[in-house]
Amino acid sequence: NDVVLLGPSGRNHPPAGIPFAAHGQTTLIHGENLMVRLSPEPTGIGQWQPVRVTFDIPRDLHHVPLVIGPFPPVLINVGESVAN
């Protein structure tokens, strides 16, 4: 729920998967309701970690707002070669 693309109708497009590298290969972990949880450090202070996600983008979307948590949306430009 914290990371979504917004379609023109206001429909949310959640991530389709999380790329994962192991043994020199990259694979895609996918499924419904993907969740990444980080354990806090022993001090009780949370930590930040980058997480890569992938999306299935409908062919007709070329400019898509990306929403991450409480931050304002950022407009993502999807090239036509990617969307075709």
Side-chain angles (χ1 to χ4, degrees):
N1 293 335
D2 290 336
V3 178
V4 295
L5 293 178
L6 297 179
S9 65
R11 180 174 172 253
N12 290 349
H13 297 278
I18 300 170
F20 179 75
H23 306 289
Q25 300 289 322
T26 300
T27 188
L28 184 66
I29 300 170
H30 61 91
E32 293 184 25
N33 300 319
L34 294 172
M35 186 175 296
V36 176
R37 292 182 189 247
L38 300 174
S39 299
E41 295 194 16
T43 60
I45 299 172
Q47 56 185 341
W48 292 88
Q49 292 289 328
V51 176
R52 296 184 305 163
V53 296
T54 60
F55 293 92
D56 285 329
I57 300 174
R59 290 185 184 274
D60 59 339
L61 293 182
H62 298 291
H63 304 284
V64 186
L66 171 67
V67 179
I68 301 175
F71 299 104
V74 175
L75 190 61
I76 302 297
N77 184 14
V78 180
E80 289 186 32
S81 61
V82 174
N84 290 326

